[in-house]
């Protein structure tokens, strides 16, 4: 749950080193990933998205004072994304950069000298503010600019630099809510602010942008921790003028929301009445099979008077940023907004840019297909599924057999499910609350990246083992703060004051980054990873059970257990067997069996086949042995080792 991650989930219901399991050559301090640069013809059929928290990426200040100001702790800028910085990101295999926290959101820093009104810390989370409490959709966060008055031009220059570096740009759109003090200084001609024309005497009207607690002023909640950690500020007085009060972003209808509510935001009205019924046109039956172009035609034939005003406002916002060169959007808490709106908005976006990447945060599996087929989303988070399962396996709480169950649950929409192990909402892998050690997640990273045709997301710092242990102020460590000014130590070491050469990184951090670069580049360069899938897990489990029943240690599936996982990926050009050992303590000796239908499909003759591990580019000693009765590979996997085995031709 984005900026509300400290809120209980009930709110949603309201509406080869000794430590590394591979043997990469020692990385050069001056150019650790130079040999792993992506190919010039990088495809985006299987995108690799690199999420950067824009405010933090370029910050070199290491003070990390809790609730520190910009002067105390520093802040990153658009200009920190130099051509060298972008080259280092691209070398990881990245096709898209998601610049998080770009739209101008409520901040505590004083920018009155350029006409921006002060934001009240009583309704701002942290000192730097939540990126998901947007104050002005037609400009960008002034913290991120070298010259705040010129901030929009500086971001436009970053868009151009990113494109020149061979990558595309994604920014956030937060459809469910805006900051309590939303006010744009930069509206294009004809664009009217949210709420400016609302009838505040009514709780609901279709063309109101907000819902109202009629005749009742807003009251600041009784907060669990004082604003700014108790530091003085002229506006910290427990008061915020809003009359009448608006519904809060998570749907609370209280004039005085609870401290766990999303009190810094107000909910947008999309034509959903307070009783939950809809006040807008419905999509005709069968539109789940229609194209985005057909959805666009449908909405173009609907009278303007039938479309809620908020729909039109968000379309204006999306079109504004598309015209600036933005290549796609990540939608915050998309399931809190009606699917019909997404059909309307996304079909408009695709009409202008058919290749725009549209990514949605959705956590209800039963709704996935609606948001993809009716809402015309390209990708949804695969959190309540693969992410949760992989985290549980890493923590020793789940069997690897659950991976195949998760895969089958979304097999019909697999290419639409975004895979990740970190993002700004989730605990850092290296934090004690997750795995304590980034190496423990490498088998999961291999599975996540290669299991399907789905895109992969990496959160900045993940590739060098950032642990999120900084106590920045609002909230608790284990996640890198998105609310306060803070440095990101492992990332800062690799960044080396803008040189991006890893000269300050440890050897372990450099090896980890090289592993990520190898895997992520491979994910869209290996033809088989855009091809077919054959499960090997259940087949080998059944054989292992049979062996144990017969007490025959010589049979070929020995060793496969709840800490191993295997599958095959293939295309006309390439045949791959992927096998992982999730155990951090035990090596696995196994004879991995391949089913006869797969061998027939691969048209392999009786004999032995050499195999190359694509993660290390080495020919392994084991051979794929095909005979009349069985096909198997005798393998020994070190703790936490993964192999991506390419079957070589005879």
């Amino acid at each position: 749950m984005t900026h509300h991650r400290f809120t209980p989930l009930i709110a949603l219901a309201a509406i080869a080193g000794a430590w590394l399991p591979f043997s990469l050559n020692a990385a050069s301090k001056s150019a650790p990933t130079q040999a792993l640069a992506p190919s010039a013809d990088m495809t985006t059929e299987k995108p690799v998205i690199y999420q950067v928290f824009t405010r933090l990426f370029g910050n070199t200040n290491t003070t990390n004072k809790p609730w520190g100001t910009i002067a105390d702790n520093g802040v990153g800028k658009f200009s920190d994304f130099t051509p060298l910085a972008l080259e280092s990101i691209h070398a990881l295999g990245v096709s898209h950069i998601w610049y998080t926290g770009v739209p101008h959101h409520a901040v505590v820093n004083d920018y009155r000298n350029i006409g921006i009104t002060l934001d009240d810390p009583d309704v701002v989370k942290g000192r730097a503010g939540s990126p998901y409490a947007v104050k002005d959709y037609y400009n960008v966060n002034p913290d991120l600019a070298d010259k705040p008055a010129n901030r929009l031009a500086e971001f436009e220059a970053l868009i151009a630099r990113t494109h020149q570096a061979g990558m595309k740009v994604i920014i956030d759109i937060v459809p469910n809510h805006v900051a309590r003090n939303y006010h744009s200084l930069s509206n294009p001609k004809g664009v009217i602010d949210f709420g400016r024309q609302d009838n505040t005497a009514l709780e609901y009207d279709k063309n109101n942008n907000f819902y109202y607690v009629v005749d009742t002023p807003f009251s600041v909640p009784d907060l669990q921790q004082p604003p700014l950690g108790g530091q003085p500020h002229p506006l910290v007085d427990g008061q915020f003028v809003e009359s009448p009060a608006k519904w809060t972003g998570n749907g609370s209808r209280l004039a005085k929301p609870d401290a766990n509510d999303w009190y810094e935001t107000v909910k947008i009205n999309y034509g959903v009445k307070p009783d939950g019924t809809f006040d807008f046109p419905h999509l005709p039956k069968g539109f789940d099979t229609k194209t985005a172009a057909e959805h666009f035609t449908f909405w173009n034939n609907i009278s303007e008077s039938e479309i809620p005003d908020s729909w039109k406002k968000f379309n204006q916002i999306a079109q504004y940023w598309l015209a600036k060169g933005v290549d796609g959007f990540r939608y915050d808490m998309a399931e809190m907004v009606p699917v019909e709106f997404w059909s309307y908005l996304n079909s408009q976006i695709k009409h202008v840019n058919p290749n725009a990447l549209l990514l949605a945060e959705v956590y209800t599996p039963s709704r996935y297909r609606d948001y993809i087929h009716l809402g015309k989303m390209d990708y949804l988070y695969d959190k309540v599924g693969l992410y949760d399962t992989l985290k549980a396996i890493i923590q020793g709480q789940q069997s690897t057999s659950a991976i195949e169950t998760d895969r089958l649950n979304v097999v019909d929409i697999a290419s639409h499910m975004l895979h990740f192990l970190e993002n700004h909402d989730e605990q850092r892998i290296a934090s004690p609350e997750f795995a304590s050690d980034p190496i423990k997640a490498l088998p999961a990273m291999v599975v996540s990246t290669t299991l399907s045709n789905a895109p992969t997301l990496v959160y900045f710092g993940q590739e060098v083992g950032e642990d999120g242990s900084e106590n920045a102020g609002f909230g608790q460590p284990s996640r890198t703060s998105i609310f306060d000014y803070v440095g990101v130590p492992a990332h800062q070491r690799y960044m080396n004051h803008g040189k991006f050469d890893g000269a300050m990184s440890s050897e372990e951090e450099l090896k980890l980054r090289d592993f990520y670069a190898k895997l992520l580049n491979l994910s869209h360069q290996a033809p088989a990873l855009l091809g077919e899938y054959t499960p090997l897990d259940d087949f080998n489990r059944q054989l292992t059970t049979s062996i144990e029943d017969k007490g025959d240690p010589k049979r070929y599936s020995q060793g496969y257990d709840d800490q191993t996982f295997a599958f095959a990926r293939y295309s006309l050009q390439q045949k791959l067997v992927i096998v992982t050992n999730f155990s951090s303590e035990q090596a696995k000796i196994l004879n991995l069996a391949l089913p006869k239908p797969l061998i027939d499909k691969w048209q392999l003759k009786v004999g032995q086949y050499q195999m190359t591990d694509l993660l290390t580019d080495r020919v392994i000693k084991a051979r794929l042995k095909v005979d009349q009765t069985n096909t198997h590979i005798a393998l020994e996997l070190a703790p936490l080792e993964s192999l991506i085995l390419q079957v070589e031709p005879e």
Side-chain angles (χ1 to χ4, degrees):
M1 296 177 2
T2 56
H3 65 307
H4 322 296
R5 63 174 180 249
F6 304 111
T7 304
L9 281 175
I10 193 170
L12 284 178
I15 212 180
W19 60 279
L20 275 180
F22 53 86
S23 55
L24 289 172
N25 294 329
S28 162
K29 286 281 189 176
S30 60
T33 56
Q34 191 173 27
L36 298 171
S39 60
D41 59 346
M42 179 188 292
T43 178
T44 55
E45 291 181 87
K46 187 176 168 67
V48 174
I49 301 170
Y50 190 75
Q51 182 191 4
V52 294
F53 201 81
T54 316
R55 175 202 301 150
L56 304 182
F57 179 86
N59 184 19
T60 59
N61 188 309
T62 59
T63 304
N64 288 346
K65 174 184 175 181
W67 298 97
T69 64
I70 288 179
D72 294 325
N73 288 351
V75 67
K77 304 289 185 179
F78 293 133
S79 59
D80 293 319
F81 293 89
T82 62
L84 187 60
L86 293 169
E87 180 185 351
S88 78
I89 295 172
H90 194 218
L92 284 171
V94 171
S95 60
H96 294 70
I97 300 183
W98 166 14
Y99 290 107
T100 304
V102 166
H104 182 186
H105 59 79
V107 299
V108 175
N109 206 35
D110 187 348
Y111 290 105
R112 285 178 293 179
N113 64 321
I114 58 170
I116 297 173
T117 56
L118 278 179
D119 293 312
D120 189 333
D122 289 305
V123 289
V124 175
K125 287 183 175 175
R127 179 171 284 281
S130 168
Y132 296 102
V134 176
K135 177 179 178 176
D136 183 353
Y137 261 116
Y138 293 98
N139 218 315
V140 298
N141 181 359
D143 280 353
L144 305 178
D146 294 317
K147 296 180 179 179
N150 197 39
R151 59 197 183 279
L152 187 57
E154 290 188 27
F155 181 60
E156 291 171 336
L158 175 56
I159 294 172
R161 288 199 303 277
T162 306
H163 289 162
Q164 289 164 4
M167 295 174 288
K168 296 185 177 181
V169 172
I170 300 170
I171 65 170
D172 291 279
I173 286 181
V174 188
N176 179 67
H177 47 267
V178 293
R180 284 204 174 269
N181 59 334
Y182 187 93
H183 173 57
S184 176
L185 297 176
S186 313
N187 280 346
K189 185 177 180 180
V191 172
I192 299 170
D193 266 3
F194 288 99
R196 183 62 61 85
Q197 296 180 321
D198 282 6
N199 181 350
T200 62
L202 299 175
E203 180 183 34
Y204 166 84
D205 182 274
K206 182 171 85 171
N207 288 314
N208 276 359
N209 299 134
F210 304 126
Y211 300 90
Y212 293 92
V213 186
V214 177
D215 296 329
T216 308
F218 171 79
S219 293
V220 172
D222 297 324
L223 300 177
Q224 297 167 348
Q225 53 184 335
L228 308 183
Q231 297 176 19
H233 186 281
L235 294 182
V236 174
D237 56 5
Q239 304 292 321
F240 179 77
V241 177
E242 178 183 288
S243 185
K246 304 178 181 76
W247 288 15
T248 296
N250 61 315
S252 171
R253 306 182 187 191
L254 300 174
K256 181 176 181 176
D258 184 80
N260 285 322
D261 289 328
W262 306 347
Y263 61 85
E264 79 281 22
T265 66
V266 291
K267 186 167 178 62
I268 297 290
N269 166 22
Y270 281 88
V272 180
K273 298 178 182 179
D275 65 3
T277 58
F278 293 161
D279 199 4
F280 48 76
H282 292 271
L283 288 169
K285 186 177 180 179
F287 256 61
D288 56 335
T289 64
K290 300 293 186 181
T291 65
E294 290 170 309
H295 281 242
F296 175 80
T297 298
F298 170 79
W299 292 111
N300 256 19
N301 289 329
I302 297 292
S303 169
E304 278 282 308
S305 64
E306 295 187 60
I307 305 297
D309 185 69
S310 296
W311 294 29
K312 302 171 190 175
K313 280 185 165 53
F314 272 98
N315 185 44
Q316 290 171 330
I317 290 163
Q319 298 300 329
Y320 174 83
W321 289 109
L322 289 174
K324 297 283 185 193
V326 167
D327 304 292
F329 303 103
R330 180 267 188 188
Y331 297 129
D332 181 80
M333 296 307 298
E335 64 189 309
M336 298 184 78
V337 175
V339 167
E340 287 83 355
F341 163 73
W342 292 119
S343 164
Y344 168 83
L345 179 67
N346 290 341
S347 64
Q348 301 272 352
I349 291 170
K350 292 290 189 179
H351 181 73
V352 172
N353 180 1
N355 297 316
L357 187 149
L358 305 177
L359 166 63
E361 181 185 28
V362 175
Y363 296 128
T364 306
S366 63
R367 306 287 320 273
Y368 286 172
R369 288 155 187 83
D370 285 345
Y371 282 90
I372 292 167
H373 300 313
L374 291 172
K376 296 303 165 190
M377 298 294 184
D378 293 318
Y379 306 111
L380 308 180
Y381 279 29
D382 198 350
K383 186 206 178 290
V384 184
L386 187 64
Y387 168 87
D388 286 345
T389 290
L390 290 174
K391 184 174 183 178
I393 293 169
I394 292 167
Q395 295 177 333
Q397 300 170 359
Q398 181 67 281
S399 165
T400 51
S401 63
I403 297 171
E404 183 63 11
T405 301
D406 287 328
R407 188 192 72 85
L408 290 172
N409 284 341
V410 294
V411 68
D412 58 315
I413 54 172
S415 63
H416 294 281
M417 303 305 296
L418 177 79
H419 291 174
F420 60 88
L421 291 182
E422 282 190 7
N423 62 42
H424 68 279
D425 285 326
E426 308 303 338
Q427 293 168 329
R428 289 286 195 176
I429 293 165
S431 70
E433 293 80 1
F434 190 153
S436 297
D437 185 344
I439 306 309
K440 290 183 179 180
L442 292 186
M445 191 66 202
V446 170
V447 170
S448 176
T449 304
T450 62
L451 187 68
S452 74
N453 294 1
T456 299
L457 180 141
V458 174
Y459 190 38
F460 87 110
Q462 176 182 343
E463 73 277 15
V464 287
E466 179 59 43
D467 66 7
S469 60
E470 294 69 45
N471 179 15
F474 188 88
Q476 298 299 317
S478 80
R479 303 169 176 88
T480 298
S481 174
I482 65 169
F483 304 106
D484 287 288
Y485 303 111
V486 70
V488 184
H491 168 69
Q492 287 175 322
R493 288 192 289 274
Y494 183 79
M495 183 170 59
N496 188 22
H497 300 281
K499 295 179 183 177
F500 292 91
D501 58 6
M504 298 173 66
S505 299
S506 68
E507 291 295 335
E508 290 79 7
E509 289 168 346
L510 291 176
K511 288 178 182 178
L512 182 64
R513 193 177 196 278
D514 278 350
F515 183 90
Y516 271 88
K518 186 71 174 180
L519 177 64
L520 295 173
N521 277 289
L522 186 64
S523 74
H524 51 68
Q525 291 175 355
L529 297 180
L530 289 170
E532 302 298 319
Y533 176 97
T534 292
L536 301 179
D537 186 68
D538 190 55
F539 182 67
N540 279 275
R541 288 180 191 277
Q542 290 178 2
L543 288 172
T544 299
T545 301
S546 174
I547 294 161
E548 291 173 353
D549 289 345
K550 294 180 180 180
D552 181 358
K554 297 179 181 179
R555 291 287 294 275
Y556 52 80
S557 287
Q558 64 193 38
Y560 198 95
D561 61 18
D562 285 339
Q563 293 179 309
T564 51
F565 189 74
F567 54 96
R569 298 294 309 276
Y570 58 94
S571 65
L572 291 175
Q573 304 99 322
Q574 191 178 47
K575 305 173 184 67
L576 299 179
V577 175
I578 299 167
V579 56
T580 59
N581 176 13
F582 280 80
S583 174
S584 61
E585 299 175 354
Q586 294 181 333
K588 303 292 181 181
I589 299 174
L590 66 155
N591 284 309
L592 185 72
L594 275 62
K596 189 175 186 302
L598 176 64
I599 300 307
D600 292 343
K601 191 169 292 186
W602 284 1
Q603 298 181 341
L604 297 182
K605 300 176 183 177
V606 171
Q608 296 190 23
Y609 294 82
Q610 181 174 284
M611 290 179 298
T612 301
D613 174 28
L614 298 185
L615 285 173
T616 58
D617 294 321
R618 62 183 174 88
V619 176
I620 67 168
K621 293 180 180 179
R623 295 291 185 268
L624 172 63
K625 297 181 179 180
V626 181
D627 62 32
Q628 299 292 348
T629 58
N630 66 72
T631 298
H632 65 278
I633 311 167
L635 293 171
E636 180 173 355
L637 292 175
L640 300 174
E641 184 174 20
S642 298
L643 298 172
I644 300 179
L645 300 175
Q646 177 174 270
V647 180
E648 303 295 348
E650 293 180 281

